[in-house]
Amino acid sequence: LNLVVFLSGIFLTLVNIDRYKPYNISNFTKFDYSYIVKLTEEPVINNSNLKILTRVIKAKSDSQYIKAQGNIIIYLKKDTFSSRLKYGDILYVHPVLKLIEAPVNPYQFDYRKHLSNKNIYIQCFLTHKDWIFIDNKANPIFELAYKIRNYL
C-alpha cells in the first residue's frame, strides 16, 4: 500500500509539470509566434515597469492558431494603458520570448528554479506597441478578492 501511494505521488507530480506537456511553449523550437494570454494575477507595479503573470491560451503562427499552453512573466513599460490592466484581462501579444537564465554566481539565489517550481520558464519585455487588450474574463470570486485587497 505504501508503495502504491508513493508511486502515485510521483506519477501525479510528473503529470502536473507543464514542461513535459507537448504543447508547452517552452518546448517550441522557435518563439516567433503571437499569443493570446490571460492575466492570472494582479499586475505588480514597480517604478517604471509592470510585472504580470500570464497563462497562454493560444499561439498564432502566420495565419492559423495552434494549441499552446504555459505561463509567461511579462514585463511592461508603465504607461496609461498598461496601468489599467487587471486580473482576468485577455491580451494579444507579440513578444520576443526568452528562457529564464540560470544564476551566474555560485550559491546565488536560483530564480529560474524558483519560477520552475511554479511552472514558469519564459519571460519577455513588451512596450505598448507589442500588445492589444481583447477582453476581461475574470473569475468573479478572485476578482472580488482582488478588489477587496486593493480597497484595504
Side-chain angles (χ1 to χ4, degrees), residues 12-110:
L12 289 173
T13 300
L14 292 176
V15 166
N16 288 318
I17 296 176
D18 283 349
R19 177 164 249 170
Y20 299 132
K21 295 179 181 175
Y23 298 110
N24 190 283
I25 58 172
S26 63
N27 296 328
F28 286 5
T29 55
K30 63 176 187 167
F31 287 142
D32 190 27
Y33 293 99
S34 297
Y35 299 94
I36 296 178
V37 298
K38 181 177 181 180
L39 275 71
T40 57
E41 294 179 359
E42 281 286 307
V44 177
I45 300 172
N46 295 332
N47 292 336
S48 61
N49 292 324
L50 266 79
K51 175 182 167 185
I52 56 176
L53 179 59
T54 62
R55 181 175 43 88
V56 174
I57 299 172
K58 291 180 187 175
K60 184 178 181 187
S61 172
D62 300 326
S63 63
Q64 67 181 28
Y65 285 97
I66 59 173
K67 184 175 181 180
Q69 64 186 22
N71 298 318
I72 304 174
I73 290 182
I74 298 177
Y75 295 95
L76 295 172
K77 198 79 168 155
K78 191 166 121 181
D79 59 15
T80 56
F81 298 112
S82 63
S83 301
R84 295 182 197 155
L85 291 175
K86 59 185 182 299
Y87 162 76
D89 285 349
I90 297 176
L91 308 175
Y92 178 83
V93 297
H94 187 74
V96 176
L97 299 177
K98 289 177 30 182
L99 291 172
I100 297 171
E101 298 176 2
V104 291
N105 297 325
Y107 307 111
Q108 181 180 354
F109 175 70
D110 193 348

